[in-house]
Amino acid sequence: GAVVSQHPSWVICKSGTSVKIECRSLDFQATTMFWYRQFPKQSLMLMATSNEGSKATYEQGVEKDKFLINHASLTLSTLTVTSAHPEDSSFYICSAPDATRTNEKLFFGSGTQLSVL
Amino acid sequence: GENVEQHPSTLSVQEGDSAVIKCTYSDSASNYFPWYKQELGKRPQLIIDIRSNVGEKKDQRIAVTLNKTAKHFSLHITETQPEDSAVYFCAASIEGGGNKLTFGTGTQLKVEL
């Protein structure tokens, strides 16, 4: 299937710092990227949808000023967790659809485990 | 928006037995229903999916059924093996509507020897 590369795979940071997570589509153009957050033993909750060249759409309850999303090109979307706090510690994962595929059409990054001290 | 409920939250079976996980969805416009297997700290892996134009799909030991009228879909795993132990998520989306997935709450499956 298509490949979505996500970095870093894990990050530990101090409270108050900002963390940037990158997702790249390696072999297709990702005009859309979905960003999910998953707390331990819970489901994947959609945070926002980024679209290349336009503003991201945030789900209800997600602070857009805290979770900055940029989708500047057809292969790169970034999520920046600003002024991170311990409650932001979670598994963040992106996914992008590749409409050219006939079967599996949605491809996930490998996830980023964020730990805020 | 879409709401997907999944049960049971945990399921323990003996090796060789069958396991069934059930999901319901709320949006009648949803037409694509994938199932994912996720191991701790890893990305979800698509194991099977079904579209609303069919009622059942099978792939070796895994099958999925869909009842559009009742808005139910189920995952069936036969002849379970220890390596089937993982968390399983159902999801629903509108294909062609951006592929935004709404996930169920997950089922922790444990296959015991």
Side-chain angles (χ1 to χ4, degrees):
Chain A
V3 178
V4 175
S5 176
Q6 182 171 347
H7 293 280
S9 55
W10 59 269
V11 59
I12 302 172
C13 69
K14 292 182 179 180
S15 187
T17 60
S18 294
V19 174
K20 180 185 281 189
I21 301 169
E22 292 188 349
C23 278
R24 294 179 184 272
S25 56
L26 298 186
D27 52 357
F28 69 102
Q29 293 184 333
T31 56
T32 299
M33 189 75 73
F34 300 110
W35 287 94
Y36 289 87
R37 178 169 55 182
Q38 185 177 30
F39 291 109
K41 297 188 177 181
Q42 293 190 25
S43 187
L44 290 87
M45 299 301 294
L46 182 66
M47 299 175 65
T49 303
S50 72
N51 296 289
E52 187 267 335
S54 62
K55 290 184 178 180
T57 303
Y58 290 81
E59 297 298 305
Q60 192 173 7
V62 178
E63 299 174 60
K64 62 180 181 180
D65 294 331
K66 180 170 181 62
F67 299 99
L68 301 179
I69 291 175
N70 185 279
H71 195 146
S73 77
L74 288 173
T75 59
L76 175 64
S77 178
T78 62
L79 167 68
T80 301
V81 183
T82 62
S83 187
H85 288 94
E87 57 265 31
D88 299 322
S89 298
S90 186
F91 186 67
Y92 293 85
I93 191 164
C94 60
S95 68
D98 180 0
T100 65
R101 303 278 172 166
T102 54
N103 293 315
E104 184 173 4
K105 295 185 179 182
L106 189 65
F107 300 93
F108 285 87
S110 52
T112 298
Q113 183 64 54
L114 171 63
S115 296
V116 185
L117 304 177
Chain B
E2 177 65 276
N3 182 50
V4 179
E5 296 187 357
Q6 180 174 348
H7 59 93
S9 57
T10 60
L11 179 59
S12 185
V13 299
Q14 294 293 314
E15 183 180 9
D17 287 350
S18 295
V20 179
I21 303 171
K22 298 183 179 182
C23 288
T24 61
Y25 62 99
S26 62
D27 189 347
S28 57
S30 290
N31 57 10
Y32 177 64
F33 307 93
W35 285 88
Y36 290 90
K37 177 182 180 182
Q38 188 183 30
E39 298 179 359
L40 189 63
K42 304 288 187 181
R43 77 185 83 195
Q45 289 184 300
L46 179 70
I47 56 170
I48 197 167
D49 57 13
I50 192 167
R51 291 174 170 86
S52 59
N53 57 344
V54 298
E56 185 173 356
K57 184 176 178 181
K58 189 174 181 180
D59 182 4
Q60 300 183 339
R61 297 187 296 109
I62 296 173
V64 58
T65 59
L66 171 65
N67 182 329
K68 285 190 298 182
T69 303
K71 298 193 192 122
H72 289 173
F73 57 115
S74 300
L75 177 71
H76 304 252
I77 305 174
T78 58
E79 300 171 33
T80 54
Q81 301 166 2
E83 51 265 38
D84 293 330
S85 297
V87 179
Y88 291 80
F89 291 98
C90 62
S93 74
I94 301 173
E95 223 174 17
N99 290 302
K100 182 171 78 170
L101 289 175
T102 300
F103 285 88
T105 47
T107 297
Q108 174 73 63
L109 174 64
K110 184 177 181 181
V111 180
E112 298 176 332
L113 295 171

